[in-house]
Amino acid sequence: MISKVGRVVSRVFHVNKSMVRQYHVSTVMKHSDFDKVVKTTPADREAELVKEIESDIVNNPIILYMKGTKTQPMCGFSRAAVQVLDAYQIPYETRDMVANMEMKEALKKWANWPTIPQLYVRQEFIGGWDIMKQLHEEEELGDILSGVDAEEQL
């Protein structure tokens, strides 16, 4: 049934089928559902994540990849890492790996380090919580962090 000027009619007479077909092709085929879809392969996605990780590390003199955030760590190791870094009273960035599990797996593979948290200082991988703890206890972490000057933090 087709509505024509407020009335319902059951048939349409004298319809030019080629015009209907042309209208159908020109309107429906231009719909966004028919746009070419670019599929991302897992390798492409991993490459995107690696670029994002590398950009984070290059653009942030001190960055901690952790579970949760500075204000709300989601595991004991991440909480301890934040407490140690906060004790040095230096600015640092964090990335929440719980919020992005794909990035977490890409980071672990890229760094060849199986655990989170992971600390990077001036584009150098320092280690996970166990290494941070050891360096802190041996008073070496402060030396590593103090090498980051204020201009790098901007």
Side-chain angles (χ1 to χ4, degrees):
M1 295 181 153
I2 298 174
S3 173
K4 182 178 179 183
V5 192
R7 294 184 321 177
V8 176
V9 294
S10 59
R11 295 186 188 144
V12 177
F13 296 100
H14 308 291
V15 174
N16 183 337
K17 290 180 183 178
S18 66
M19 286 180 64
V20 171
R21 202 171 284 125
Q22 181 181 7
Y23 172 79
H24 175 75
V25 169
S26 66
T27 57
V28 174
M29 296 303 284
K30 288 183 181 177
H31 190 275
S32 64
D33 288 347
F34 294 99
D35 289 347
K36 185 176 179 180
V37 176
V38 178
K39 293 185 179 180
T40 304
T41 65
D44 292 339
R45 180 65 181 139
E46 187 173 330
E48 289 173 11
L49 292 168
V50 166
K51 282 182 184 178
E52 190 174 336
I53 291 165
E54 289 172 344
S55 175
D56 275 348
I57 292 169
V58 166
N59 294 315
N60 296 290
I62 302 173
I63 185 164
L64 178 67
Y65 289 93
M66 61 181 286
K67 294 178 183 175
T69 63
K70 285 182 194 181
T71 57
Q72 217 169 13
M74 297 183 83
C75 83
F77 298 123
S78 291
R79 180 181 319 304
V82 166
Q83 288 173 343
V84 165
L85 290 175
D86 285 347
Y88 290 99
Q89 298 180 347
I90 52 154
Y92 64 95
E93 290 295 321
T94 62
R95 293 293 176 266
D96 181 5
M97 295 291 96
V98 174
N100 192 339
M101 296 303 280
E102 282 182 311
M103 182 176 276
K104 175 184 172 186
E105 294 308 313
L107 175 68
K108 290 178 358 179
K109 185 175 178 181
W110 179 80
N112 196 24
W113 192 263
T115 60
I116 303 292
Q118 292 184 16
L119 177 64
Y120 292 82
V121 178
R122 286 187 311 280
Q123 302 177 35
E124 183 182 340
F125 177 55
I126 302 303
W129 165 241
D130 53 343
I131 305 295
M132 287 178 65
K133 180 181 176 187
Q134 181 181 354
L135 290 170
H136 177 64
E137 288 171 351
E138 294 173 0
E139 299 180 5
E140 294 177 23
L141 185 58
D143 295 337
I144 293 169
L145 297 173
S146 67
V148 178
D149 62 26
E151 286 183 18
E152 284 182 286
Q153 294 296 331
L154 299 177

